[in-house]
Each structure stands twice: as C-alpha cells, then as structure tokens.
Amino acid sequence: MKTSFNKFLYIGFLLLGLYQAFFSKEYMQSVASLGIGLAFDPFDQEQKWNDRPFWQKAVLIIHLALVAAMFGFGIGLHDK
C-alpha cells in the first residue's frame, strides 16, 4: 500500500489543532492549524470529488465544519 506524505501532514495538523484547542486554549491558532490541514487532502488527489466515496466526502466536510465552528467560537470568545 502506497502511503502518501499528505496523510502524515493532514494528521499532524489535525492533532496540532486539537492540542491547541483543548490544552492550550488558543482557539484562533487552532483554526489556522486545522485549516492548513485541509490543504493536505489525505485521500487520493487524482480522484474527482464526484467519484469519491461518501465517507471521504463526509470526513472533509465535517473537518471544514469544525474549522468554521472553531472560527466562530474564537471570534465570539474575544468579542467584548
């Protein structure tokens, strides 16, 4: 099985973002790390979006929703 380097980068940025959110309480840094992680698609980049299985689409859409939610939380937390 050929493992691409993007999978390691994706997982690394995902773990970094979760660490920053839950342990460091740096929510905007977490949003940046999670958003950068989306740039490293862990699945086959040669495959078109419409041809991907549903679960791969769901993983990426849920990740994007998490980034958007964390961004709103970070903005709302520092709104005074």
Side-chain angles (χ1 to χ4, degrees):
M1 181 173 144
K2 181 182 174 187
T3 303
S4 71
F5 192 62
N6 282 357
K7 288 182 185 179
F8 296 116
L9 290 173
Y10 178 81
I11 291 171
F13 276 108
L14 183 66
L15 292 175
L16 177 63
L18 292 175
Y19 171 79
Q20 289 169 333
F22 294 117
F23 297 109
S24 299
K25 305 295 185 203
E26 294 287 337
Y27 299 110
M28 295 309 286
Q29 288 292 336
S30 172
V31 169
S33 296
L34 291 172
I36 291 170
L38 276 172
F40 301 104
D41 185 2
F43 306 114
D44 185 16
Q45 292 85 22
E46 300 296 321
Q47 191 175 24
K48 293 183 180 180
W49 179 258
N50 292 334
D51 297 336
R52 290 183 183 215
F54 176 77
W55 69 272
Q56 288 181 0
K57 293 178 188 178
V59 165
L60 294 173
I61 290 172
I62 290 169
H63 186 148
L64 181 62
L66 176 67
V67 170
M70 288 297 297
F71 181 72
F73 183 73
I75 294 287
L77 188 66
H78 296 295
D79 186 26
K80 294 184 183 191

